Amino acid sequence: MATSASPLGPAYDRGPGYSGWLGFAGALSVVLGIFNIIEGFIALFKTYFFVTPGGQLLVWNYTAWGVVWMAIGLLQLLVGLGVLAGKGWARLSGIVLAGLAMIGHFAFLVAFPVWSVISIALCALVMYGLIAPPKGAMGVRG
């Protein structure tokens, strides 16, 4: 009879190097990437959706922001898949992209304040989930 290292039974024995935070951060990064791609398409094709007094967001117009959000979203999607696959490069890349997305949402705060605040909080969770686990940990069972 085999014994499990977890007192809850074999179904909860994740083994060494497993981190639920990495799995969460990878999945959330994929979701945020998809949302940012959608937000980029909206900024490109439906500029009237985001209402601002001057017609511009901080520095650029809606077309530029659409391209920025689509690029960040695509990179976040790929990095999230990399985190879920256990790639080491994806953790650092995910932290950098989540930080860039946070800065971008601060600038986008004028156009869509509620969604921007939610996105900033979710990006902070992604950053924590990528920073907190020990080096070499994986987000899925190996």
Coordinates of all heavy atoms in Angstrom, one line a residue, residues 26-61:
G26 N -0.5 31.7 -14.7 CA -0.4 31.4 -16.1 C -1.8 31.5 -16.7 O -2.0 32.1 -17.8
A27 N -2.8 30.9 -16.1 CA -4.2 30.9 -16.6 C -4.7 32.4 -16.6 O -5.4 32.8 -17.6 CB -5.1 30.1 -15.7
L28 N -4.4 33.1 -15.6 CA -4.9 34.5 -15.5 C -4.2 35.4 -16.6 O -4.8 36.3 -17.2 CB -4.7 35.1 -14.2 CG -5.3 36.5 -13.9 CD1 -6.8 36.5 -14.2 CD2 -5.0 36.9 -12.5
S29 N -3.0 35.1 -16.9 CA -2.3 35.8 -17.9 C -2.9 35.5 -19.3 O -3.0 36.4 -20.1 CB -0.8 35.4 -17.9 OG -0.1 36.2 -18.8
V30 N -3.3 34.3 -19.5 CA -3.9 34.0 -20.8 C -5.2 34.7 -20.9 O -5.5 35.3 -21.9 CB -4.2 32.4 -20.9 CG1 -5.1 32.1 -22.0 CG2 -2.8 31.7 -21.0
V31 N -6.0 34.7 -19.8 CA -7.3 35.4 -19.9 C -7.1 36.9 -20.1 O -7.8 37.6 -20.9 CB -8.1 35.1 -18.6 CG1 -9.3 36.0 -18.5 CG2 -8.5 33.7 -18.5
L32 N -6.2 37.5 -19.3 CA -5.9 39.0 -19.5 C -5.4 39.3 -20.9 O -5.7 40.3 -21.5 CB -4.9 39.4 -18.5 CG -5.4 39.6 -17.1 CD1 -4.3 40.0 -16.1 CD2 -6.5 40.7 -17.0
G33 N -4.6 38.4 -21.5 CA -4.1 38.6 -22.8 C -5.3 38.6 -23.8 O -5.3 39.5 -24.7
I34 N -6.2 37.7 -23.6 CA -7.4 37.7 -24.5 C -8.2 39.0 -24.3 O -8.7 39.6 -25.3 CB -8.3 36.4 -24.3 CG1 -7.5 35.2 -24.7 CG2 -9.6 36.5 -24.9 CD1 -8.1 33.9 -24.3
F35 N -8.4 39.4 -23.1 CA -9.2 40.6 -22.8 C -8.5 41.8 -23.4 O -9.1 42.7 -24.0 CB -9.4 40.8 -21.3 CG -10.4 40.0 -20.7 CD1 -10.5 39.8 -19.4 CD2 -11.4 39.3 -21.5 CE1 -11.4 39.0 -18.8 CE2 -12.4 38.5 -20.9 CZ -12.4 38.3 -19.6
N36 N -7.1 41.9 -23.3 CA -6.4 43.0 -23.9 C -6.4 43.0 -25.4 O -6.5 44.1 -26.0 CB -5.0 43.0 -23.4 CG -4.9 43.5 -21.9 OD1 -5.7 44.2 -21.5 ND2 -3.8 43.1 -21.3
I37 N -6.4 41.8 -26.0 CA -6.6 41.8 -27.5 C -8.0 42.3 -27.9 O -8.1 43.1 -28.8 CB -6.4 40.3 -28.0 CG1 -4.9 39.9 -27.8 CG2 -6.8 40.2 -29.4 CD1 -4.7 38.4 -28.1
I38 N -9.0 41.9 -27.2 CA -10.4 42.4 -27.4 C -10.4 43.9 -27.3 O -11.0 44.6 -28.1 CB -11.4 41.7 -26.6 CG1 -11.5 40.2 -27.0 CG2 -12.7 42.4 -26.6 CD1 -12.3 39.4 -26.0
E39 N -9.8 44.4 -26.2 CA -9.8 45.9 -25.9 C -9.1 46.6 -27.0 O -9.4 47.7 -27.4 CB -9.1 46.1 -24.6 CG -9.3 47.5 -24.1 CD -8.8 47.7 -22.6 OE1 -8.4 46.7 -22.0 OE2 -9.0 48.8 -22.1
G40 N -8.0 46.0 -27.6 CA -7.3 46.6 -28.7 C -8.1 46.7 -29.9 O -8.1 47.7 -30.6
F41 N -8.9 45.6 -30.2 CA -9.8 45.7 -31.4 C -10.9 46.7 -31.2 O -11.2 47.4 -32.1 CB -10.5 44.3 -31.6 CG -9.6 43.3 -32.4 CD1 -9.2 42.2 -31.8 CD2 -9.2 43.6 -33.7 CE1 -8.4 41.3 -32.6 CE2 -8.5 42.8 -34.4 CZ -8.0 41.6 -33.9
I42 N -11.4 46.8 -30.0 CA -12.4 47.9 -29.7 C -11.8 49.3 -29.9 O -12.4 50.1 -30.5 CB -13.0 47.7 -28.3 CG1 -13.8 46.4 -28.2 CG2 -13.8 48.9 -27.9 CD1 -14.2 46.1 -26.8
A43 N -10.6 49.5 -29.4 CA -10.0 50.8 -29.6 C -9.7 51.1 -31.1 O -9.7 52.3 -31.5 CB -8.7 50.9 -28.8
L44 N -9.4 50.1 -31.8 CA -9.2 50.3 -33.3 C -10.4 50.6 -34.1 O -10.4 51.5 -34.9 CB -8.5 49.0 -33.9 CG -7.0 48.9 -33.7 CD1 -6.5 47.6 -34.3 CD2 -6.3 50.0 -34.4
F45 N -11.5 49.8 -33.8 CA -12.6 49.9 -34.7 C -13.9 50.6 -34.1 O -14.8 50.9 -34.9 CB -13.0 48.5 -35.1 CG -11.9 47.8 -35.9 CD1 -11.3 46.6 -35.3 CD2 -11.5 48.2 -37.1 CE1 -10.3 46.0 -36.0 CE2 -10.4 47.6 -37.8 CZ -9.8 46.5 -37.2
K46 N -13.9 50.8 -32.8 CA -15.1 51.5 -32.2 C -14.6 52.6 -31.3 O -14.7 52.5 -30.1 CB -16.0 50.5 -31.5 CG -16.6 49.5 -32.4 CD -17.8 48.8 -31.7 CE -18.4 47.8 -32.7 NZ -19.6 48.2 -33.2
T47 N -14.0 53.6 -31.9 CA -13.4 54.7 -31.0 C -14.4 55.4 -30.2 O -14.1 55.9 -29.1 CB -12.6 55.7 -31.9 OG1 -13.5 56.2 -32.8 CG2 -11.5 55.0 -32.6
Y48 N -15.7 55.4 -30.6 CA -16.7 56.0 -29.8 C -17.1 55.3 -28.5 O -17.7 55.8 -27.6 CB -18.0 56.3 -30.6 CG -18.5 55.0 -31.2 CD1 -19.4 54.2 -30.5 CD2 -18.2 54.6 -32.5 CE1 -19.9 53.0 -31.0 CE2 -18.7 53.4 -33.0 CZ -19.5 52.7 -32.3 OH -20.0 51.5 -32.8
F49 N -16.6 54.0 -28.4 CA -16.9 53.2 -27.2 C -16.2 53.8 -26.0 O -16.8 53.8 -24.9 CB -16.4 51.8 -27.4 CG -16.8 50.8 -26.3 CD1 -18.0 50.4 -26.2 CD2 -15.8 50.4 -25.4 CE1 -18.4 49.5 -25.2 CE2 -16.1 49.6 -24.4 CZ -17.4 49.1 -24.3
F50 N -15.0 54.3 -26.1 CA -14.3 54.9 -25.0 C -14.5 56.4 -25.0 O -14.2 57.1 -26.0 CB -12.8 54.6 -25.1 CG -12.5 53.2 -25.0 CD1 -12.1 52.5 -26.2 CD2 -12.7 52.4 -23.9 CE1 -11.8 51.2 -26.2 CE2 -12.4 51.1 -23.8 CZ -12.0 50.4 -25.0
V51 N -15.2 57.0 -24.0 CA -15.5 58.4 -24.0 C -14.5 59.2 -23.2 O -14.3 58.9 -22.0 CB -16.9 58.6 -23.4 CG1 -17.3 60.1 -23.4 CG2 -17.9 57.8 -24.2
T52 N -13.8 60.1 -23.8 CA -12.9 61.0 -23.1 C -13.2 62.4 -23.6 O -13.6 62.6 -24.7 CB -11.4 60.7 -23.4 OG1 -11.2 60.8 -24.8 CG2 -11.0 59.3 -23.0
P53 N -12.9 63.4 -22.7 CA -13.2 64.8 -23.1 C -12.5 65.3 -24.3 O -13.0 65.9 -25.1 CB -12.8 65.6 -21.8 CG -12.7 64.6 -20.7 CD -12.4 63.3 -21.3
G54 N -11.2 65.0 -24.4 CA -10.4 65.5 -25.5 C -10.3 64.7 -26.7 O -9.7 65.1 -27.7
G55 N -10.8 63.5 -26.6 CA -10.7 62.5 -27.8 C -9.4 61.8 -27.8 O -9.2 61.0 -28.7
Q56 N -8.5 62.0 -26.9 CA -7.2 61.2 -26.9 C -7.0 60.7 -25.5 O -7.5 61.2 -24.5 CB -6.0 62.1 -27.2 CG -6.0 62.4 -28.7 CD -4.6 63.0 -29.1 OE1 -3.9 63.5 -28.2 NE2 -4.3 63.0 -30.3
L57 N -6.2 59.7 -25.4 CA -5.8 59.0 -24.2 C -4.4 59.4 -23.9 O -3.5 58.9 -24.5 CB -6.0 57.5 -24.3 CG -7.4 57.0 -24.6 CD1 -7.3 55.5 -24.9 CD2 -8.3 57.3 -23.5
L58 N -4.2 60.2 -22.9 CA -2.9 60.6 -22.4 C -2.0 61.1 -23.6 O -1.9 62.3 -23.8 CB -2.2 59.5 -21.7 CG -1.1 59.9 -20.8 CD1 -1.5 60.8 -19.7 CD2 -0.4 58.7 -20.1
V59 N -1.4 60.3 -24.3 CA -0.4 60.7 -25.3 C -0.9 60.4 -26.8 O -0.8 61.2 -27.7 CB 0.9 60.0 -25.1 CG1 2.0 60.4 -26.1 CG2 1.4 60.3 -23.7
W60 N -1.4 59.2 -27.0 CA -1.8 58.7 -28.3 C -3.3 58.7 -28.6 O -4.1 58.9 -27.7 CB -1.2 57.3 -28.5 CG 0.2 57.2 -28.3 CD1 1.2 58.0 -28.8 CD2 0.9 56.2 -27.5 NE1 2.4 57.6 -28.3 CE2 2.3 56.5 -27.6 CE3 0.5 55.1 -26.8 CZ2 3.2 55.7 -26.9 CZ3 1.4 54.4 -26.1 CH2 2.7 54.6 -26.2
N61 N -3.6 58.5 -29.8 CA -5.0 58.3 -30.2 C -5.4 56.9 -30.0 O -4.7 56.0 -29.6 CB -5.2 58.9 -31.6 CG -4.4 58.1 -32.6 OD1 -3.9 57.0 -32.4 ND2 -4.3 58.6 -33.8

